[in-house]
Amino acid sequence: MTATTTFATPSRTEARPAPLARGYRFELVKLLSQWRIRVLLLACWIAPAVFVAVVSRQSALPADTVFGRWMHATGWAGSLVVLAFSCTWALPLLTALVAGDVFAAEDRLGTWRHLLVAVRSPSRIFAAKALASLTVLLLLAAGLAASGISGGLLAVGNHPLVGLDGHSLSPASAAGTVLLAWACVLAPMLAFAGVGLLGSVALGRSPMGLLMPALLAFVLQLAQMLPLPVSVRLALPSQAFLAWRGLFTGPAQTGPLLIGLVVSLAWAVAATALAYRLFLRRDFTDLAYDGSGRRILVAGVVPLAGLVALTVGVLAATTPATGTGIVRTKLQDSLATAYAHLYRLQTAELHRPDVTEAQLRATASCDKGGDRVADEGPGNDWRCVVTWHLPGATAVGTAIYQLDVTADGRYVADGDGPKEVNGYFQVRTPTGDAPNPLWQLDGNVDLLANSPEG
């Protein structure tokens, strides 16, 4: 009889990765413990309210900024001035300081090996850091919005807001539209945050990773100033930083805004996916990793440039607009509509009998630079003559405007007479002098609208 001896194999227990929720809380606490992040949060939640409250009480307003000329009239205008500034400078810089440094900080401190031992999953480390930086960015954006709105309402009050076509938005409608505008700019902020994550992963300790969102914002701002074709302009991830203005016209110019939101979200997904791919392939044993210019070019710049080219092709084939999207007929329709709305506002200030837009039958005739220049495209050489009719009067009223039209479709119309209509910045009312709403007015041309030259 033979005895068989069986030896038990000791079981090996594999270490499980740390839960994502725990990693997210850890990364969020690390970010919020940095003095730089705390200063940014404090500034975003306090500075806009102070700025709006102080500027709203000044005699000189930032009229060159959209809605700046209405900061005396309603508290909602101040929030939109803050929004315009945030889209130009604040939000890109905030994404650079938060998302652009979230991975690079580990390279500077040399803590990757300790973090990998604690979490045991590079993919969860990436997700935790990305979610934590997104949370901080949302807190910063919420602070800018809440502070700007509260400062304006406390300093000026909850009054109707004049839109970019001259029509008046009730306080409730203005509140909803302002909040929607702030929500819309979160999409391009996510796009810049994705670029920040990509730069932080690809360039390691190099400060260039921190600068990538800010550098991209600067390049895109220069591009937005050029008379680009509509398909190219709408394919840029910064388009939604400008397209929110279309919410303040009637009807709302939703086409450019929706395209801008889709493009921004596509950039956010693409840049984050590229950053995730590079992060999983990285060698964490190199403590002196400073990134590679060739790596960021091949794995980051080229794919995103391809995304732009693909978007341009799709938009060129599916959108009706051609050229810059700024033509005479669009400008004439926009100016006539804005003039009719603001004429009624001036009539109310002067306590004259009210007239409707239909009764005014306002029209505009515009010319750009004389007979030798095509009546299309941006420029400060547009000259328009607005005509209108009053009920019971046989004479036709006329008013002259000099227009400065920017490449993104926004224009400022400067009144050039007659003096009693639009040639002076004030009008004399029964209660004293008041700002003349027809003296200077802001407008916005829908670049996607299909309006043939006529």
Side-chain angles (χ1 to χ4, degrees):
M1 184 173 180
T2 305
T4 303
T5 305
T6 304
F7 297 94
T9 303
S11 60
R12 295 179 57 189
T13 303
E14 297 184 359
R16 294 182 178 179
L20 177 59
R22 184 181 302 172
Y24 164 72
R25 289 194 298 269
F26 176 68
E27 295 296 338
L28 185 59
V29 169
K30 282 201 305 183
L31 281 176
L32 295 177
S33 65
Q34 298 178 20
W35 66 268
R36 180 182 64 209
I37 301 299
R38 293 182 178 182
V39 170
L40 289 176
L41 285 169
L42 191 64
C44 289
W45 281 86
I46 295 178
V50 176
F51 167 80
V52 173
V54 171
V55 173
S56 297
R57 298 181 181 275
Q58 303 298 315
S59 58
L61 297 175
D64 56 335
T65 303
V66 64
F67 292 102
R69 69 183 75 255
W70 297 107
M71 290 182 70
H72 279 163
T74 174
W76 297 108
S79 174
L80 295 175
V81 171
V82 174
L83 176 58
F85 174 80
S86 300
C87 292
T88 304
W89 299 108
L91 291 179
L93 289 177
L94 291 175
T95 56
L97 293 173
V98 178
D101 192 54
V102 68
F103 291 97
E106 307 293 346
D107 287 295
R108 292 195 303 271
L109 299 175
T111 53
W112 277 123
R113 288 185 296 178
H114 305 287
L115 193 59
L116 288 169
V117 170
V119 180
R120 297 180 295 276
S121 172
S123 61
R124 294 193 180 184
I125 291 176
F126 182 91
K129 285 184 171 293
L131 291 174
S133 61
L134 175 61
T135 302
V136 172
L137 287 173
L138 292 177
L139 287 174
L140 295 171
L144 291 171
S147 182
I149 292 173
S150 60
L153 295 180
L154 291 175
V156 183
N158 184 21
H159 305 299
L161 173 69
V162 175
L164 288 180
D165 63 346
H167 81 288
S168 180
L169 286 79
S170 66
S173 179
T177 310
V178 168
L179 292 176
L180 180 59
W182 274 100
C184 288
V185 302
L186 295 179
M189 186 188 73
L190 292 178
F192 281 87
V195 173
L197 295 177
L198 178 60
S200 185
V201 170
L203 297 177
R205 297 186 302 175
S206 172
M208 286 303 299
L210 185 66
L211 295 176
M212 276 192 64
L215 182 61
L216 176 64
F218 179 73
V219 172
L220 292 178
Q221 285 183 36
L222 293 179
Q224 292 282 6
M225 297 170 63
L226 301 175
L228 300 175
V230 177
S231 57
V232 177
R233 181 175 300 278
L234 296 182
L236 301 179
S238 59
Q239 173 61 25
F241 274 152
L242 302 172
W244 59 265
R245 301 170 183 170
L247 295 172
F248 295 90
T249 62
Q253 300 171 6
T254 56
L257 177 59
L258 292 176
I259 293 176
L261 295 178
V262 172
V263 170
S264 296
L265 293 177
W267 265 70
V269 172
T272 305
L274 292 172
Y276 178 74
R277 182 170 176 268
L278 286 177
F279 185 76
L280 294 185
R281 295 185 174 186
R282 178 177 166 175
D283 179 14
F284 292 97
T285 61
D286 184 4
L287 300 181
Y289 179 73
D290 285 330
S292 169
R294 180 178 178 274
R295 190 181 189 189
I296 189 63
L297 179 64
V298 174
V301 176
V302 172
L304 293 178
L307 177 60
V308 173
L310 176 62
T311 308
V312 170
V314 172
L315 292 176
T318 57
T319 55
T322 58
T324 62
I326 301 173
V327 296
R328 182 177 61 182
T329 51
K330 291 184 185 181
L331 203 57
Q332 291 174 164
D333 293 343
S334 177
L335 180 61
T337 300
Y339 184 88
H341 288 311
L342 292 174
Y343 188 91
R344 295 191 64 191
L345 181 59
Q346 187 193 69
T347 299
E349 286 184 347
L350 298 174
H351 298 281
R352 293 174 178 171
D354 190 21
V355 293
T356 65
E357 289 82 359
Q359 290 174 324
L360 285 174
R361 291 178 290 158
T363 59
S365 176
C366 297
D367 177 74
K368 185 179 189 295
D371 297 335
R372 297 184 179 182
V373 180
D375 294 331
E376 61 182 13
N380 60 357
D381 53 349
W382 283 93
R383 184 178 185 273
C384 299
V385 178
V386 179
T387 60
W388 75 97
H389 305 76
L390 289 177
T394 57
V396 178
T398 61
I400 301 174
Y401 282 96
Q402 304 292 337
L403 270 65
D404 184 4
V405 185
T406 59
D408 57 17
R410 184 205 170 192
Y411 65 86
V412 177
D414 192 359
D416 201 20
K419 180 179 179 180
E420 60 274 10
V421 178
N422 70 338
Y424 195 62
F425 72 98
Q426 287 182 330
V427 291
R428 186 170 297 278
T429 69
T431 58
D433 291 339
N436 184 359
L438 292 176
W439 178 54
Q440 287 183 336
L441 57 93
D442 296 302
N444 201 67
V445 175
D446 189 350
L447 301 179
L448 277 182
N450 189 10
S451 181
E453 185 71 21

